Amino acid sequence: MKVEAVLSAKGREVKTVEPSAILATVAQRLRLEGIGALVVLDQGRVVGMISERDVVRAFATHRAEAAEIKVAEVMASNVISCRPDDSLTRILGLMTRHRVRHLPVIEAGRLSGLISIGDAVKYRLDELEMEAAVLRDAYIAGH
């Protein structure tokens, strides 16, 4: 299965934030939206990712002052991304190798979606279950 199929099923909406936003705003948005990360955009271009983990580390290090720290100071700026035609197997490998839980999907140089490790695992398991059912049915039909 390809990333495109997952995006078609789950939607392409991506929650974003600007690098100048402060961590108090990010923490509140993550909580209200019930999500684990935001894509950081600067003039429509992906420049980073900020996750719950980044926010927790900043608050653990800087305590109350962390609320006023700008996203640009703590975001991950070496963003690993994927394309709509990438397979789920490939992106699961990327996520594991780079220890990330969210991949922005880039198409023609623009952000076109976001896929989480939860999305990838769910759809990959669905795919494997379907393959197992087909094999089981073929085996039963052959006997």
Side-chain angles (χ1 to χ4, degrees):
M1 181 177 282
K2 303 284 184 188
V3 169
E4 178 63 41
V6 174
L7 293 179
S8 293
K10 78 168 208 132
R12 294 180 171 275
E13 182 181 5
V14 180
K15 305 296 182 181
T16 64
V17 66
E18 294 182 357
S20 60
I22 59 172
L23 291 188
T25 301
V26 169
Q28 192 70 324
R29 286 209 42 220
L30 292 172
R31 183 184 69 79
L32 291 172
E33 305 268 1
I35 57 176
L38 294 164
V39 177
V40 184
L41 290 183
D42 189 10
Q43 298 179 356
R45 201 171 55 85
V46 175
V47 294
M49 292 285 300
I50 184 136
S51 69
E52 293 169 317
R53 184 183 296 169
D54 300 320
V55 174
V56 168
R57 284 182 181 151
F59 276 91
T61 303
H62 302 285
R63 306 239 182 249
E65 296 85 38
E68 299 301 317
I69 292 175
K70 296 204 181 309
V71 167
E73 295 177 43
V74 297
M75 70 182 188
S77 56
N78 57 337
V79 179
I80 308 299
S81 63
C82 64
R83 299 181 315 265
D85 62 339
D86 284 336
S87 71
L88 293 183
T89 303
R90 179 179 186 282
I91 67 159
L92 284 166
L94 278 174
M95 290 174 163
T96 302
R97 198 167 31 264
H98 295 282
R99 300 181 52 86
V100 296
R101 295 181 178 140
H102 300 86
L103 292 181
V105 182
I106 307 295
E107 185 173 22
R110 307 281 307 165
L111 179 64
S112 68
L114 183 73
I115 189 160
S116 72
I117 196 161
D119 298 330
V121 168
K122 176 197 181 307
Y123 286 94
R124 183 67 179 124
L125 286 175
D126 290 350
E127 185 178 44
L128 290 171
E129 285 177 17
M130 185 176 14
E131 288 173 10
V134 167
L135 289 172
R136 185 175 44 254
D137 292 347
Y139 177 78
I140 291 170
H143 281 83

